[in-house]
Amino acid sequence: MSTPSDPAHTQPDPAPTSTAPTPTAPTDQAHAPATGAHAPATPAPSLIADERRRLINLAYRLLGSLAEAEDAVQETYARWYAMPRHRQEAVEVPAAWLTTVAGRICLDVLGSARVRREAYVGAWIPEPLPDRTEWFSGRSGGGGAESADPADQVTLDESVDMAFLVVLESMTPAERVAFILHDVFRYPFAEIAEIVDRTPAACRQLASSGRRRVRAARTPMVPAAGQTGLVRRFKEAWEARDIGALVGLLDPDATMTADGGGLVGAVLRPVRGSDRIAQYLIHIADKAPGLTLLERTVNGRPGLVAQHTGVPVTVAAFSLTADRVTHIWAVRNPEKLRSWTAPLES
């Protein structure tokens, strides 16, 4: 797994419009709810609405689910607009208020999600995201006004890499919030403390613990061209049903994890070992004639999309070494593929 080479890889830009790493890097007064005697007038609705992209970026990294991130951001806005005007006017930095509230909502969601995921059928994999410029290029109306689809709002960088998101799932809720806010979004621990209801020193320890988890899972970075070429060779071997070629492209200790959510057929436990994975993939290909494989960017990395009768049914993300596939995450749960089917419904 590759990780951000610099925790401050995000740049100050509340509304990123490219795939460069650009979640907001806070300033000294940008994050905590603040009130005062000299507070400004009620913020313009456009200024509040403009924070949506940044909040979606934050919530997706905290929750690993675009649907849950959208719900958290909607709830954040609902709380803002439910406040009387005089209370809105008393907030010195509305962006900070929104971030703090969204962070607390995500913390609560993470706590309940741990319980829900214990009852989840099979493995739970973070929701995969398409590259909006690549996958949505054929959408009607694309290219002019900014899309309202939350998938379009997420900046694809190292902090949404599937391997990175999977490591985040191993963290406690408070650990994840502290780590993401500090190491990815560069929030000071004093302000994180207000969100997770801990001391700044405790937040520092939480982020440090999260950092150790990430470092333990780190793998050498593979150049983009190498990633693309390896995924392409894997696709070609799968299409040709060449089990020998598949085994040769898989690390001997590779793992494949599938997520059907109990809604579609999927192996419930991880498949381990190159031979078993290759045999399983050939079995899937034989059972689904007419399956079309497309090379597409998944969470900022080369991946594959399997379509049946033109409809995406599986999105696969990969963890790679220089010449082998070490892990495959195959998401089949249709509720997690809505961002991939949206272009077909436009």
Side-chain angles (χ1 to χ4, degrees):
M1 180 194 75
S2 62
T3 58
S5 56
D6 180 352
H9 68 285
T10 55
Q11 300 297 321
D13 181 355
T17 56
S18 71
T19 57
T22 53
T24 301
T27 57
D28 291 342
Q29 296 181 332
H31 321 302
T35 60
H38 303 290
T42 305
S46 61
L47 295 178
I48 299 300
D50 286 348
E51 292 297 317
R52 183 174 184 272
R53 178 188 290 274
R54 184 177 59 81
L55 295 173
I56 287 288
N57 271 274
L58 173 63
Y60 175 73
R61 287 161 175 80
L62 290 178
L63 301 176
S65 164
L66 191 61
E68 290 179 351
E70 176 71 358
D71 288 344
V73 172
Q74 294 284 57
E75 175 62 21
T76 299
Y77 277 113
R79 294 186 187 184
W80 170 265
Y81 288 115
M83 287 197 303
R85 181 172 179 177
H86 72 274
R87 289 189 59 192
Q88 293 180 358
E89 292 174 346
V91 177
E92 292 181 356
V93 186
W97 189 96
L98 292 168
T99 299
T100 300
V101 172
R104 289 171 179 166
I105 291 172
C106 288
L107 185 65
D108 290 342
V109 173
L110 284 170
S112 62
R114 291 173 74 89
V115 176
R116 293 197 307 275
R117 289 170 192 172
E118 288 177 0
Y120 194 81
V121 179
W124 190 95
I125 299 174
E127 184 175 346
L129 294 183
D131 182 324
R132 63 195 182 100
T133 61
E134 172 188 88
W135 186 252
F136 294 1
S137 60
R139 287 177 76 167
S140 58
E146 182 176 293
S147 170
D149 191 320
D152 289 15
Q153 310 293 309
V154 179
T155 302
L156 300 178
D157 60 27
E158 297 95 330
S159 63
V160 295
D161 172 70
M162 184 61 76
F164 186 78
L165 293 176
V166 169
V167 174
L168 295 180
E169 288 298 315
S170 68
M171 299 181 186
T172 66
E175 190 178 33
R176 182 168 183 167
V177 171
F179 172 75
I180 288 295
L181 283 173
H182 182 266
D183 281 44
V184 177
F185 286 85
R186 300 300 289 169
Y187 277 59
F189 288 119
E191 295 172 6
I192 297 171
E194 297 186 15
I195 295 176
V196 300
D197 196 23
R198 308 283 182 95
T199 65
C203 292
R204 184 182 298 275
Q205 290 299 316
L206 287 169
S208 178
S209 175
R211 203 174 301 123
R212 286 194 296 272
R213 292 180 190 267
V214 171
R215 287 172 179 166
R218 179 178 294 167
T219 57
M221 180 65 181
V222 180
Q227 295 179 46
T228 301
L230 182 53
V231 171
R232 178 169 298 143
R233 293 195 299 275
F234 188 89
K235 167 183 174 287
E236 292 169 349
W238 191 3
E239 289 174 328
R241 293 171 172 72
D242 188 337
I243 193 167
L246 285 172
V247 170
L249 292 168
L250 288 159
D251 185 90
D253 297 320
T255 301
M256 188 188 77
T257 307
D259 178 349
L263 301 177
V264 295
V267 61
L268 297 180
R269 295 181 178 83
V271 181
R272 305 185 190 279
S274 55
D275 288 336
R276 294 186 63 192
I277 295 173
Q279 291 169 4
Y280 181 79
L281 291 172
I282 297 301
H283 172 71
I284 292 297
D286 289 339
K287 283 186 63 178
L291 201 66
T292 302
L293 298 179
L294 305 175
E295 295 178 50
R296 292 293 184 268
T297 299
V298 180
N299 285 64
R301 306 288 185 191
L304 294 177
V305 176
Q307 289 186 333
H308 191 262
T309 63
V311 178
V313 293
T314 302
V315 173
F318 295 83
S319 179
L320 311 170
T321 62
D323 58 356
R324 297 290 180 94
V325 174
T326 58
H327 204 125
I328 304 170
W329 292 278
V331 179
R332 303 202 66 238
N333 184 341
E335 293 184 349
K336 295 184 179 183
L337 300 182
R338 291 171 179 168
S339 297
W340 301 83
T341 58
L344 303 174
E345 298 166 357
S346 298

